[in-house]
Amino acid sequence: MKRIKNKKAFFDFEVIDTYEAGLKLLGSEVKSLRQGLARLKGNFVHEWKGDLWVEGLHISQYKYATHMAIEPLRKKKLLLKRDQIIKIVTALQQAGSSAVILEIYEKAPYIKATLGIVRGKKQFDKRQTIKMRDEERKIQRVMKNFVR
């Protein structure tokens, strides 16, 4: 399985802290993820009844699933330790911060997600990010010519 990344989140948000979490999924969702059929754009994490849930995570239906039609945008439970949940919930209560899934990947037999506590970037921060990325590309292009 290839890693599925939320590239837009790194551009729109400043990542403050990250956590590794498990996802409670159904069998056909796991098979879809292994084929790379997921979109992380627009997802968010919230607390409900003492647990963390992710919404807006789109996992396409598995092509060969026959018995169950699963809603692609259904809520999915995040599996974390209790002390991690408490830290994340207190971070979410601060003004201007939220939590999103940054990446989904396979670790041994499990599907894991990287959960990020994020804060929104201002427009000038986004322009700065674009400028730095362009400068890095120029440097890499010049270094490639000098290596020969």
Side-chain angles (χ1 to χ4, degrees):
M1 172 183 163
K2 64 178 185 172
R3 290 180 176 252
I4 302 167
K5 294 185 180 186
N6 189 353
K7 295 177 187 174
K8 188 74 172 163
F10 288 103
F11 182 72
D12 288 339
F13 302 110
E14 170 191 355
V15 179
I16 299 168
D17 200 5
T18 60
Y19 296 92
E20 183 180 60
L23 285 168
K24 188 173 182 181
L25 300 170
L26 299 174
S28 61
E29 289 177 325
V30 173
K31 291 179 180 183
S32 289
L33 281 174
R34 287 192 174 135
Q35 290 181 344
L37 301 174
R39 285 189 301 252
L40 300 178
K41 186 177 177 183
N43 75 73
F44 64 95
V45 176
H46 64 91
E47 186 263 338
W48 186 60
K49 292 186 179 181
D51 290 320
L52 291 177
W53 295 79
V54 61
E55 288 192 42
L57 172 62
H58 185 278
I59 299 176
S60 299
Q61 290 185 358
Y62 183 58
K63 183 178 177 180
Y64 302 106
T66 57
H67 64 284
M68 271 195 314
I70 297 170
E71 180 66 31
L73 286 172
R74 74 177 187 87
K75 288 188 194 178
K76 291 144 189 89
K77 186 176 180 180
L78 291 173
L79 306 173
L80 291 156
K81 293 183 180 178
R82 183 62 46 196
D83 60 330
Q84 290 177 327
I85 292 174
I86 293 169
K87 285 180 186 178
I88 293 168
V89 169
T90 55
L92 290 177
Q93 291 171 350
Q94 295 177 2
S97 65
S98 59
V100 296
I101 300 295
L102 301 173
E103 184 177 32
I104 294 179
Y105 54 94
E106 188 174 14
K107 187 174 183 181
Y110 305 110
I111 301 292
K112 298 286 185 172
T114 302
L115 170 73
I117 305 296
V118 296
R119 186 177 304 130
K121 282 185 183 179
K122 304 288 186 207
Q123 188 64 36
F124 63 85
D125 290 334
K126 292 179 185 180
R127 283 193 291 262
Q128 185 69 22
T129 303
I130 292 170
K131 184 178 176 182
M132 289 176 57
R133 186 175 56 212
D134 289 343
E135 289 175 0
E136 282 292 322
R137 284 186 188 145
K138 287 178 185 176
I139 291 170
Q140 291 298 324
R141 211 174 296 129
V142 170
M143 293 298 289
K144 183 179 175 183
N145 292 334
F146 278 122
V147 172
R148 293 181 188 173

